Amino acid sequence: MELKMIGIILMLELVVVSWAYQQCNIICDDHVPTPTVGNPIRGKAGPKGQKGASAEACECPPLANLRAEMTRMRTELTNKVSELEEKVRFSWTVKLVPGANEIASRCGLLQNVDTITDDAFTASSVHSSGYYAHYGRLNGERGHGWTVLRDDRNVNQWIQVDLGQDTKITGIVTQGSRINSDRTTSYILLYRTADTDNFLPVVEESGNSVVFAANTVQGSIVGYQLPYPISARWWRINPRTWNSYPTLRFDLYTC
């Protein structure tokens, strides 16, 4: 259904472009040279006895422009088809990832402080100096992980990371505190693209937000494949349930 709608929209765009071209009343085709001084492209002749249209009254784009627009549309459709094929491959299914920590070491983004710097991490609340947002990196040895103030233990809190540009993410992996049993046991994952202002949740095929079951066991590292790859710049984790405190360390998969 989605593919059919994309095709219809692009065909409508093509019809509009073609119509606009036909409305241009200037002779402009492969057999007419580019207008030069002394050899202007003339406007369409008017009815007998009346003045015709001037070339200045309607600027006609070269056929090359129309062909370029058609090529752009074909490329856009091809890209959309590829995206949909990838979604089908992922089958809208959230899957546990065996060997989550090993995969994170190969294709995780956040453990490299040179690639994603500390100031890329922000949070709605920070408990104390041992729980800064940038201590929320998976396997981080600084601090204890990220968590909130005691009075902020509610479902409105979040930690997020700015990847600097839209980046395709295929999965997520989490763990709890480095020093105790505090941990997030479920969460919602949200994202925001570089050209939008609002965060959107990762959803199931039904349209409902995916609630990821996280670290129900102390010391566990739990990874998931997303129901479909998503390209976005900002990624936000919203803890929904936790053990004592919603403490969290995490990484994002790119493979």
Side-chain angles (χ1 to χ4, degrees), residues 6 9-10 13 71-81:
I6 292 171
I9 291 171
L10 291 180
E13 288 184 8
T71 299
R72 182 195 68 78
M73 290 179 182
R74 284 194 296 269
T75 301
E76 183 176 342
L77 179 58
T78 300
N79 291 340
K80 289 292 185 182
V81 169

Side-chain angles (χ1 to χ4, degrees), residues 76-124:
E76 183 176 342
L77 179 58
T78 300
N79 291 340
K80 289 292 185 182
V81 169
S82 297
E83 290 176 11
L84 289 173
E85 288 176 343
E86 192 166 49
K87 284 185 179 182
V88 171
R89 179 170 63 86
F90 275 67
S91 302
W92 289 84
T93 304
V94 177
K95 298 177 182 177
L96 275 169
V97 176
N101 194 34
E102 187 275 329
I103 294 175
S105 69
R106 288 190 289 106
C107 61
L109 277 180
L110 309 184
Q111 296 180 68
N112 187 337
V113 296
D114 295 324
T115 303
I116 305 296
T117 57
D118 286 348
D119 59 2
F121 291 83
T122 53
S124 57

Side-chain angles (χ1 to χ4, degrees), residues 75-180:
T75 301
E76 183 176 342
L77 179 58
T78 300
N79 291 340
K80 289 292 185 182
V81 169
S82 297
E83 290 176 11
L84 289 173
E85 288 176 343
E86 192 166 49
K87 284 185 179 182
V88 171
R89 179 170 63 86
F90 275 67
S91 302
W92 289 84
T93 304
V94 177
K95 298 177 182 177
L96 275 169
V97 176
N101 194 34
E102 187 275 329
I103 294 175
S105 69
R106 288 190 289 106
C107 61
L109 277 180
L110 309 184
Q111 296 180 68
N112 187 337
V113 296
D114 295 324
T115 303
I116 305 296
T117 57
D118 286 348
D119 59 2
F121 291 83
T122 53
S124 57
S125 174
V126 172
H127 182 279
S128 59
S129 60
Y131 295 93
Y132 291 136
H134 59 267
Y135 291 160
R137 299 177 192 265
L138 189 77
N139 296 320
E141 295 296 326
R142 298 179 297 163
H144 315 314
W146 164 77
T147 200
V148 302
L149 289 167
R150 180 183 180 87
D151 293 340
D152 287 341
R153 289 179 292 179
N154 57 61
V155 296
N156 299 317
Q157 307 306 319
W158 48 264
I159 179 173
Q160 73 181 35
V161 62
D162 177 0
L163 302 182
Q165 62 184 358
D166 287 346
T167 303
K168 187 171 75 171
I169 299 301
T170 61
I172 183 171
V173 55
T174 62
Q175 64 186 156
S177 170
R178 191 173 67 85
I179 62 169
N180 56 37

